């Protein structure tokens, strides 16, 4: 029992320390994804420690585990209702409430009707699909009458992306910031009540043993989006499968460079992947917004057959409310230089992806 306690404690320590090492290799980046689970296991190990046979090193290990719990807890508590943030009511100067759904549909998921039913049930004004290929585009044609404005990037490499809107798309473009097979969508929208905003859909590649060896392309891509956001003078929403967590170094840098706000703070983790395994689910489908965007609700919806749960958001726009200015963080000159370096590293990285990916 003592040996098991010792081995688990050592493993938890390694998983806690690895993300602090400045390497982009997936081995060092992946433990960030499991910070919630690592914290739970650390708490359980700490509690079980009191029922084992105590040695002269017992209290040192318990102290180490308690320190790890506090270390993780300081970060994670920000993404719970225990961390209080101010609520913002709508006023007569605000826009109406609008809604969007963001969903990584999983390219090889053929349960198209289940997703279409999800859209018809929730009736968002806009929705974004990721990993949507030609088969998904064809299946979603039944929604085009209800969503007459679209921006489509049809790919068969699991990085296709489709955007559908009831609102008028005044302008839209596809960006390929770090690679010619990794798109991001930028759509300029105008609501019925005259408010304008910009919607970004992103889906960078993940660092993992089965995909990209490093996080360079992912980090370069999202920081390129952050840099582009600073050039836009309208309210902005950035959403998608970031293949990243909100507390990682690159996500924090993204938030500071873009001057956007993370709506998970003071709300919830909103964990999305893997849809089938609740205890091992990571919050990697992220959202950020500018200070003129106010979030009323942010949550996951039911599984429709993908490996990701869809994200649902209710929001409104208010140019006359500056209460959220204090939540905007600024990057210093060193962080700006670091972001530029990460963008260049992302562009130089060769992802070596197949143009057409088939399910194993």
């Amino acid at each position: 029992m003592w040996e098991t306690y010792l081995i688990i404690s050592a493993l938890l320590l390694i998983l806690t320390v690895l993300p602090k090492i400045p390497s982009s290799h997936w081995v060092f980046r992946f433990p960030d994804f499991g910070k919630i689970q690592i914290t739970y296991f650390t708490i359980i190990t700490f509690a079980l420690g009191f029922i084992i046979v105590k040695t002269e090193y017992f209290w040192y290990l318990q102290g180490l585990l308690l320190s790890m719990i506090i270390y993780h807890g300081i970060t994670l508590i920000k993404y719970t209702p225990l961390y209080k943030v101010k609520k913002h009511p709508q006023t007569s100067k605000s826009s109406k409430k609008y809604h969007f759904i963001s969903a990584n549909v999983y390219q090889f998921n053929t349960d198209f009707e289940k997703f279409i039913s999800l859209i018809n049930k929730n009736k968002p004004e806009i929705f974004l699909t990721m990993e949507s290929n030609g088969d998904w585009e064809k299946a979603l044609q039944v929604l085009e009458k209800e969503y007459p404005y679209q921006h489509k990037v049809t790919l068969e490499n699991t990085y296709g992306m489709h955007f559908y809107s009831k609102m008028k798309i005044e302008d839209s473009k596809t960006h390929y910031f770090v690679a010619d097979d990794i798109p991001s969508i930028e759509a300029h929208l105008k609501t019925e009540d005259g408010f304008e905003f910009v919607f970004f859909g992103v889906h960078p590649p993940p660092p993992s043993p089965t995909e990209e060896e490093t996080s360079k392309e992912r980090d370069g891509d999202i920081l390129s989006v952050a840099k582009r956001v600073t050039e836009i003078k309208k309210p902005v929403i950035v959403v998608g499968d970031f293949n990243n967590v909100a507390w990682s170094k690159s996500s924090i840098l993204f938030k500071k460079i873009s001057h956007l706000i993370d709506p998970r703070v003071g709300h919830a983790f909103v964990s999305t992947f893997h849809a089938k395994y609740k205890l091992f689910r990571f919050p990697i489908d992220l959202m950020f917004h500018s200070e003129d965007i106010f979030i009323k609700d942010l949550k996951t919806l039911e599984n429709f057959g993908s490996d990701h749960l869809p994200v649902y958001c209710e929001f409104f726009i208010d140019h006359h409310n500056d209460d959220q200015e204090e939540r905007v963080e600024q990057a210093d000159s060193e962080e700006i230089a670091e972001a530029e370096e990460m963008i260049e590293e992302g562009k130089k990285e060769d992802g070596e992806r197949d143009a057409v990916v088939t399910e194993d």
Side-chain angles (χ1 to χ4, degrees), residues 4 61 80 132 202 330:
T4 302
L61 281 173
T80 73
S132 40
V202 302
Q330 305 283 340

Side-chain angles (χ1 to χ4, degrees), residues 327-339:
R327 296 183 63 186
V328 176
E329 299 180 40
Q330 305 283 340
D332 58 30
S333 57
E334 186 176 327
E335 289 170 325
I336 292 171
E338 183 179 14

Side-chain angles (χ1 to χ4, degrees), residues 153 155 157 159-161 174-176 179-185 201-204 221:
V153 188
L155 298 172
N157 65 350
Y159 289 97
M161 190 178 292
T174 305
H175 294 285
Y176 296 92
D180 60 8
D181 58 350
I182 301 294
S184 297
I185 291 175
V202 302
H203 183 204
D221 192 62

Side-chain angles (χ1 to χ4, degrees), residues 67 107 114 130-131 145 186 202 282 288-290 295 300 304 313 322 328 332 353 355:
S67 298
Q107 180 171 299
K114 203 167 184 179
M130 292 153 286
E131 290 202 27
K145 183 177 180 181
E186 175 186 336
V202 302
F282 307 143
F288 297 88
H289 62 89
S290 57
I295 307 303
T300 56
F304 59 90
C313 180
D322 58 4
V328 176
D332 58 30
R353 283 171 294 273

Side-chain angles (χ1 to χ4, degrees), residues 72-103:
H72 290 303
I74 289 171
T75 298
L76 296 180
I77 197 170
K78 295 178 182 178
Y79 301 92
T80 73
L82 296 175
Y83 190 86
K84 298 299 181 184
V85 295
K86 187 177 179 181
K87 304 298 182 184
H88 305 282
Q90 279 181 278
T91 69
S92 58
K93 296 180 179 179
S94 306
S95 74
K96 297 191 302 183
K97 286 187 289 188
Y98 291 97
H99 312 80
F100 73 75
I101 288 175
S102 169

Side-chain angles (χ1 to χ4, degrees), residues 98-102 115-129 137 139-152 162-169 189 192 199 301 312-313:
Y98 291 97
H99 312 80
F100 73 75
I101 288 175
S102 169
F115 180 74
I116 292 167
S117 296
L118 182 89
I119 296 298
N120 287 331
K121 174 184 174 182
N122 291 279
K123 302 185 185 302
E125 284 75 20
I126 53 181
F127 71 90
L128 173 75
T129 63
E137 181 178 315
L140 294 176
Q141 286 177 353
V142 298
L143 294 170
E144 291 185 3
K145 183 177 180 181
E146 189 74 16
Y147 295 86
Y149 304 100
Q150 305 117 28
H151 186 103
K152 304 173 181 179
H162 291 69
F163 179 68
Y164 296 81
S165 177
K166 294 179 181 180
M167 304 175 191
K168 183 180 180 182
I169 298 179
L189 303 167
E192 291 181 356
F199 185 96
L301 298 176
Y312 172 89
C313 180

Side-chain angles (χ1 to χ4, degrees), residues 79 246-247 255 260-266 286-289 298 327:
Y79 301 92
W247 46 80
K255 186 168 61 171
L260 298 182
I261 296 166
D262 183 355
R264 284 170 163 76
V265 173
L286 304 183
M287 175 198 175
F288 297 88
H289 62 89
L298 182 67
R327 296 183 63 186

